[in-house]
Amino acid sequence: MKFDIAFIIDQLPYLMTGLKMTLLLSFASLVLSLLIGIAGAVIRILKVPILSPIIIGYVELIRNTPLLVQIFFLYFGLPFIGLKLSGTVTGIVALSLWGGAYAIENFRGGFKSVSKSLNEAGYSLGLNTYHVYRHIIIPIGFRVSFPSFSNTAMSVVKNSSLLAGIGVLELTFTALNSVAVSFKYIEMFLSLGIIYLLIVWVLSFLFALIERKLDFKRRSAKKALSSFKEMANKTYGKAG
């Protein structure tokens, strides 16, 4: 069988339409996953009444059930209770909840790894729990957790292909549509694989740049404590 390169070139504009939707879904889901992850991790560490058990149940539910089942439940199940979501909204919600559950565990480990001496230093400077988390635990813990979160983020992008199962016009769905008409399986799925590979490579490069920018290992505890003390003086010095 002859490999049809002309077919791939002809289908590229159609694939680019699906790629735009994939990138849109991925970006929105990653932002929401990040917010869910940070908020959920803080709630679990602080053991907030009512909310903490809910977060634990949510994480267990998401991590122990297939993502495709979650997508089908949101898209086909919710209409039975009067809540109908579009395919795009379903995709963002499903990917965000899935990524958020894993991000909670990513950040929880990072936040708990922050030295107790830094926490105690913050409290000794007169900071309350909110300021300790905002200025000490979250900034430092985020740097520690970022490599793990970057892996979760790339999984979110790849898992967006499952949305083809509910008819979302993303990259995989466009490829399947093309194959259904042309029967060019090798050409189309090879192109699809290469595009996903390029997306992940670009993401890996961007995350590596961010990780280098954060550069946690070169930040000494002495510098951190100095910045906390300066912040505390600005926050509480005037009040005194």
Side-chain angles (χ1 to χ4, degrees):
M1 181 180 292
K2 185 178 179 181
F3 188 81
D4 193 350
I5 187 69
F7 170 76
I8 296 177
I9 296 174
D10 183 61
Q11 291 296 306
L12 275 178
Y14 183 51
L15 288 175
M16 290 303 102
T17 301
L19 177 59
K20 290 178 183 178
M21 177 59 74
T22 292
L23 294 178
L24 173 63
L25 292 168
S26 299
F27 178 76
S29 301
L30 289 179
V31 171
L32 292 173
S33 296
L34 178 64
L35 297 176
I36 292 171
I38 293 175
V42 171
I43 289 172
R44 284 206 60 181
I45 293 173
L46 292 178
K47 297 181 180 179
V48 179
I50 301 177
L51 292 180
S52 184
I54 292 175
I55 293 297
I56 293 173
Y58 152 65
V59 171
E60 290 299 312
L61 175 64
I62 296 298
R63 295 181 67 186
N64 292 300
T65 57
L67 176 56
L68 187 59
V69 172
Q70 298 166 22
I71 293 171
F72 284 166
F73 174 79
L74 291 174
Y75 191 70
F76 297 111
L78 291 184
F80 284 95
I81 60 173
L83 183 59
K84 182 172 177 58
L85 304 177
S86 67
T88 302
V89 173
T90 298
I92 293 174
V93 171
L95 292 174
S96 299
L97 291 176
W98 185 90
Y102 283 88
I104 286 173
E105 295 304 297
N106 296 153
F107 291 123
R108 188 167 70 95
F111 295 165
K112 291 185 72 173
S113 71
V114 177
S115 173
K116 290 183 179 180
S117 62
L118 293 178
N119 298 343
E120 292 169 357
Y123 287 117
S124 68
L125 291 172
L127 303 182
N128 56 31
T129 300
Y130 169 77
H131 285 101
V132 166
Y133 270 83
R134 178 182 174 185
H135 297 290
I136 301 177
I137 296 178
I138 291 179
I140 296 177
F142 182 84
R143 294 182 177 96
V144 175
S145 309
F146 188 78
S148 298
F149 176 73
S150 65
N151 290 331
T152 297
M154 285 186 279
S155 295
V156 167
V157 174
K158 290 183 288 184
N159 286 339
S160 65
S161 62
L162 295 175
L163 299 177
I166 58 172
V168 178
L169 195 63
E170 46 74 58
L171 187 57
T172 300
F173 186 82
T174 58
L176 291 173
N177 268 353
S178 179
V179 166
V181 176
S182 65
F183 300 102
K184 300 282 187 179
Y185 295 97
I186 296 177
E187 290 88 345
M188 184 52 63
F189 289 127
L190 179 62
S191 302
L192 185 63
I194 291 174
I195 293 174
Y196 275 114
L197 188 62
L198 290 174
I199 293 173
V200 172
W201 276 349
V202 171
L203 278 177
S204 298
F205 177 74
L206 292 177
F207 286 140
L209 289 180
I210 296 172
E211 189 175 344
R212 197 176 306 151
K213 185 72 175 176
L214 294 174
D215 201 17
F216 172 74
K217 292 183 178 179
R218 296 185 182 180
R219 294 175 178 266
S220 66
K222 184 176 180 180
K223 289 182 179 179
L225 284 170
S226 176
S227 65
F228 301 152
K229 186 174 182 179
E230 182 181 351
M231 181 274 298
N233 288 334
K234 290 181 179 178
T235 304
Y236 299 100
K238 294 180 179 180

